[in-house]
């Protein structure tokens, strides 16, 4: 149940969705076409009876449609009308508070909020999401329970068809649920549902964006944006580079990339960057990396750990080609990113 508190006339989010369940009537996934953040008091009142996360009966859906129309929630009422004409299981989810997701419908609603740009990474509580979502076979026939996959594959063969399994994962690709306006995605399987892509973002073939991560846009992403990482506007990630997120060894440090930054090809960061920072191609800067600070003339001044530079702007990280030492100097001129690449929409 999603009724964490008594109905007060306000709530965190609402979604009316249609989804897939396995033979045990367990949810595998839910599609929310028009999720809402901070729904109106009238809507909260209209959906209070049936927003439990359980499949709606035909009668419940009819009553919900009427209640939404009475509350002048035309878009949500139109969804209810469409769902009434389908045999697919529908569900209404009302999150009274932004607490940790309690079940699959609630978890999917939060992922939709991110990909619909209603909240930014770290803008909603996703604690325990991995334990909530089931591992699913994503196929040409939709989501299939792993235990039921062999029989479905056999059934397809007996029809003279092949059941295509595109991946086995807890998270589907974002574009099967939402395509944000003003973005380019060269390889859709590399952007998970729950990614936040700001307008003007280009994800190239080798780029990857995890859930609860993304870009403010515009930006050119040819590297990896790990879970929990947000890349600022005008920043580019070169081919093969990576950002260390909380799921990949970054601990509790929130990694972010500021505005107008450049992380070179095959480089990486384990610290947050401020604005107008550059990391030289092939250089991976972690929190414990020893960095030689240089003055305006390029002369060494002192040695520090990279964590001491976290979040500071106008820095250029490079490796001395003679000594191999990692150096940092002020990058006041900043890197001038390719405006043609950012003017693609």
């Amino acid at each position: 149940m999603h009724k964490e508190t008594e109905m007060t006339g306000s709530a965190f989010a609402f979604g009316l969705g249609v989804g897939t369940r396995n033979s045990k009537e367990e949810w595998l996934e839910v599609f929310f076409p028009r999720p809402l953040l901070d729904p109106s008091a009238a809507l909260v009142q209209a959906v209070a009876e049936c927003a439990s996360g359980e499949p709606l009966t035909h009668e419940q859906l009819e009553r919900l449609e009427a209640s939404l129309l009475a509350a002048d929630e035309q878009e949500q009422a139109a969804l209810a009308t469409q769902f009434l004409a389908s045999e697919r299981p529908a569900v209404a989810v009302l999150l009274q508070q932004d607490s940790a997701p309690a079940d699959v419908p609630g978890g999917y609603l939060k992922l939709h909020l991110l990909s619909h740009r209603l909240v930014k990474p770290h803008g909603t509580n996703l604690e325990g999401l991995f334990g909530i979502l089931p591992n699913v076979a994503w196929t040409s026939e939709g989501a299939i329970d792993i235990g039921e996959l062999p029989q479905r594959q056999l059934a397809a063969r007996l029809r003279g068809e092949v059941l295509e399994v595109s991946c086995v994962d807890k998270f589907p690709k974002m574009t099967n649920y939402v395509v944000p306006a003003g973005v380019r995605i060269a390889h859709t399987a590399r952007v998970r549902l729950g990614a936040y892509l700001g307008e003007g973002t280009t994800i190239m073939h080798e780029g990857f964006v995890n859930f609860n991560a993304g870009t403010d846009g515009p930006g050119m992403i040819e590297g990896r944006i790990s879970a929990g990482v947000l890349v600022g506007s005008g920043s580019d990630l070169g081919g093969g580079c990576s950002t260390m997120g909380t799921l990949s060894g970054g601990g509790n440090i929130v990694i972010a990339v500021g505005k107008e930054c450049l992380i070179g090809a095959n480089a990486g960061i384990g610290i947050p960057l401020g604005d107008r920072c550059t990391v030289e191609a092939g250089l991976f800067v972690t929190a414990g990396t020893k960095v030689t600070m240089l003055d305006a003339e390029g002369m060494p001044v002192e040695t520090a750990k990279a964590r001491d530079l976290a979040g500071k702007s106008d820095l250029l990280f490079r490796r001395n080609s003679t000594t191999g030492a990692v150096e940092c100097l002020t990058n006041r001129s900043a890197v001038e990113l390719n405006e043609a690449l950012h003017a693609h929409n």
Side-chain angles (χ1 to χ4, degrees):
M1 297 287 287
H2 290 284
K3 300 177 182 178
E4 291 117 347
T5 64
E6 293 297 321
M7 296 297 172
T8 61
S10 64
F12 173 67
F14 171 76
L16 182 58
V18 60
T20 306
R21 298 197 296 167
N22 61 15
S23 61
K24 299 178 182 177
E25 299 186 343
E26 299 167 330
W27 289 107
L28 298 179
E29 57 84 41
V30 182
F31 171 50
F32 294 99
R34 298 186 185 93
L36 295 176
L37 188 69
D38 190 24
S40 68
L43 184 144
V44 172
Q45 186 67 29
V47 305
E49 177 188 348
C50 60
S52 66
E54 297 297 326
L56 297 170
T57 65
H58 190 83
E59 292 74 18
Q60 286 177 316
L61 199 49
E62 284 182 330
R63 290 199 299 271
L64 178 60
E65 177 192 34
S67 297
L68 289 169
L69 285 171
D72 198 29
E73 294 286 346
Q74 301 296 326
E75 282 197 344
Q76 299 298 319
L79 280 180
T81 302
Q82 290 176 281
F83 292 171
L84 278 168
S86 170
E87 296 183 358
R88 302 292 297 173
V91 62
V93 175
L94 181 67
L95 302 180
Q96 284 290 110
Q97 301 172 348
D98 184 23
S99 54
D103 52 26
V104 171
Y108 265 80
L109 176 55
K110 290 202 165 193
L111 293 176
H112 279 74
L113 293 176
L114 283 155
S115 291
H116 277 270
R117 299 175 180 159
L118 296 176
V119 298
K120 286 190 174 183
H122 298 287
T124 183
N125 185 350
L126 298 178
E127 185 177 355
L129 182 62
F130 257 83
I132 293 296
L133 300 185
N135 212 24
V136 173
W138 302 98
T139 78
S140 52
E141 295 181 4
I144 298 178
D145 186 285
I146 300 297
E148 298 170 10
L149 181 61
Q151 185 57 40
R152 293 284 293 272
Q153 289 174 314
L154 175 58
R157 292 285 180 168
L158 294 177
R159 297 192 304 267
E161 302 171 0
V162 175
L163 179 64
E164 180 70 24
V165 180
S166 58
C167 72
V168 178
D169 198 359
K170 288 177 175 286
F171 297 84
K173 60 183 180 181
M174 182 188 73
T175 53
N176 281 353
Y177 293 79
V178 56
V179 178
V183 303
R184 291 172 55 205
I185 304 174
H187 190 345
T188 57
R190 298 183 66 82
V191 181
R192 279 173 151 180
L193 181 64
Y196 179 104
L197 299 186
E199 188 166 358
T201 299
T202 292
I203 310 296
M204 295 301 291
H205 294 79
E206 295 304 316
F208 173 81
V209 188
N210 213 332
F211 77 99
N212 198 32
T215 66
D216 279 327
M220 176 69 69
I221 308 301
E222 298 182 87
R224 178 183 181 87
I225 305 179
S226 298
V229 178
L230 180 64
V231 176
S233 62
S235 292
D236 288 357
L237 271 60
C241 79
S242 62
T243 56
M244 186 182 292
T246 55
L247 297 179
S248 57
N252 293 323
I253 299 176
V254 177
I255 307 299
V257 178
K259 300 178 181 179
E260 299 174 10
C261 292
L262 174 63
I263 302 179
N266 297 318
I269 58 168
I271 61 169
L273 298 179
D275 299 335
R276 300 173 301 279
C277 290
T278 301
V279 179
E280 179 186 72
L283 176 62
F284 205 116
V285 180
T286 64
T289 300
K290 291 185 178 180
V291 180
T292 300
M293 304 297 297
L294 305 179
D295 62 19
E297 286 70 41
M299 299 300 293
V301 177
E302 61 178 324
T303 299
K305 288 189 176 181
R307 65 168 56 93
D308 299 326
L309 304 173
K312 298 185 182 300
S313 299
D314 299 299
L315 300 179
L316 168 61
F317 293 91
R318 70 187 188 189
R319 189 177 294 280
N320 188 297
S321 60
T322 301
T323 66
V326 177
E327 299 175 337
C328 178
L329 55 83
T330 300
N331 185 25
R332 297 269 180 207
S333 61
V335 59
E336 294 186 8
L337 302 177
N338 190 335
E339 292 186 4
L341 291 177
H342 291 167
H344 56 267
N345 291 308

